[in-house]
Amino acid sequence: MLLAGLVGSEPREAPVLTAALDRAQAARLVTLARHHRVEAWLAGTLDLSDPRWQELAAQRPRFLADQVRTLATVRDLGSSLDAFSAPWLVIKGPALAHRLYPNVGLRHYVDLDVLVGPAWFGKVLEHLEGQGYRTIDRNWPLIESLRPGEIRMRGPRGVLIDLHWSLFNAPLMRQAFRWSTSELLATRTVVEPPGLPVLAAEPELAHLGLHAALSGANALVWLLDLHLAAMSVSDWSRTVPAVRALAAGPALALTLGRARRLFGTPVPGEVLRDLAGGLAWRATLASVDRNLRLPVSPSDPSASRLLARSARRSSSRSAAAVARNGLTWVASGARRRYVAPSWTDSRSPDSALYDVRDDQARERYLEMVGNQA
């Protein structure tokens, strides 16, 4: 895939790799990059004076403006949280752009993911609301029932903020992986510049693997994040035990394996075997990912997506999840068409965006969060 070759190569090589494309081929490449959320990489590495990249030239100022606005929101938020000593850190988007990417403009992000401790979550939510931040998840009876690990807010600058008290949104995943938010916050580090508190290196690598896997591990942006994170690992003998202690071995084996196929990520084969664990998961990975082809649209159902979303804390549990999820998929007719979930529709009572202002349900949810270890 040309797109994988572009984002996996040195930025200066992009004009050479795309020199032979005609306008129609260039347009298809940009569309594919949009589906895989790597448009910013192309916009930051190609010659935008070339008429073939007119669309990217028009979008690049928006990409950069989004980053400036989000970083300004980080500063605003940090000032508010530091004022009453609430521990916090930034995950994904800006943390990865400033920590991993050769140029921060190559990683686009429009929202901001912030992690705070469960004991602080209710206080932080109320404090930010008092500072002009607007809570947009307002279906409190549904929220109380589903017990999500995050609440979405809109900042005064218009930036969407995912305020997390856990890195796992679903209770089932929190139970499966049992990560301690307090420990993650206690070991955070700071990226300078611009002064972002972020996850320590090993938890970040583990989180990238898990997040990519549980999302399907079939979008280039997730695998590129992981590739760049793996490039900075200097000692796998220390990293592998730390990742396995976080129950992320099977997920990281799958996602790093895919990154290595696409980008040539320099991760030794024995590392992938150690991360994968038992023979059942290793055999499953080999059979499904042997001829891996990324889809045009990462949201399309596929066997490779199902496999990734089945990653669990051990090889045996992961293999069992593949069998379980595979039977469900086959029973549903092995759907090949993406159906937007109801939670994205603010008009649906099944969405957290649907406005049901129940103060008692809100208090019960926040009390539940505050009681988490």
Side-chain angles (χ1 to χ4, degrees), residues 256-312:
L256 279 177
R258 291 185 182 180
R260 190 168 75 161
R261 286 183 178 87
L262 290 169
F263 307 126
T265 307
V267 52
E270 58 268 25
V271 167
L272 295 181
R273 289 191 291 273
D274 287 347
L275 289 169
L279 287 174
W281 185 240
R282 285 159 54 189
T284 305
L285 294 183
S287 63
V288 174
D289 277 4
R290 182 178 293 110
N291 299 308
L292 178 69
R293 295 289 185 274
L294 290 184
V296 171
S297 174
S299 60
D300 290 343
S302 66
S304 62
R305 187 172 189 265
L306 181 147
L307 173 67
R309 289 169 61 86
S310 300
R312 296 295 183 266

Side-chain angles (χ1 to χ4, degrees), residues 82-95:
D82 291 342
F84 63 102
S85 303
W88 64 285
L89 58 80
V90 176
I91 55 175
K92 298 190 285 191

Side-chain angles (χ1 to χ4, degrees), residues 92-135:
K92 298 190 285 191
L96 303 179
H98 286 271
R99 187 177 198 173
L100 302 178
Y101 278 66
N103 180 320
V104 296
L106 300 182
R107 177 58 156 87
H108 185 225
Y109 51 86
V110 294
D111 57 357
L112 176 62
D113 289 85
V114 174
L115 179 69
V116 300
W120 287 90
F121 187 78
K123 300 173 189 175
V124 167
L125 186 68
E126 292 175 2
H127 177 76
L128 292 179
E129 288 172 335
Q131 297 289 314
Y133 293 76
R134 183 169 62 91
T135 300

Side-chain angles (χ1 to χ4, degrees), residues 339-363:
V339 178
S342 58
W343 57 262
T344 62
D345 184 356
S346 62
R347 299 165 298 178
S348 170
D350 294 328
S351 170
L353 299 170
Y354 190 74
D355 194 353
V356 182
R357 301 186 183 184
D358 185 329
D359 290 341
Q360 292 183 336
R362 171 181 163 130
E363 287 304 314

Side-chain angles (χ1 to χ4, degrees), residues 178 250 349:
R178 299 184 185 280

Side-chain angles (χ1 to χ4, degrees), residues 110 132-136 152-161:
V110 294
Y133 293 76
R134 183 169 62 91
T135 300
I136 61 174
R152 288 170 289 184
M153 309 186 78
R154 181 82 62 184
R157 297 178 186 271
V159 173
L160 180 66
I161 300 164

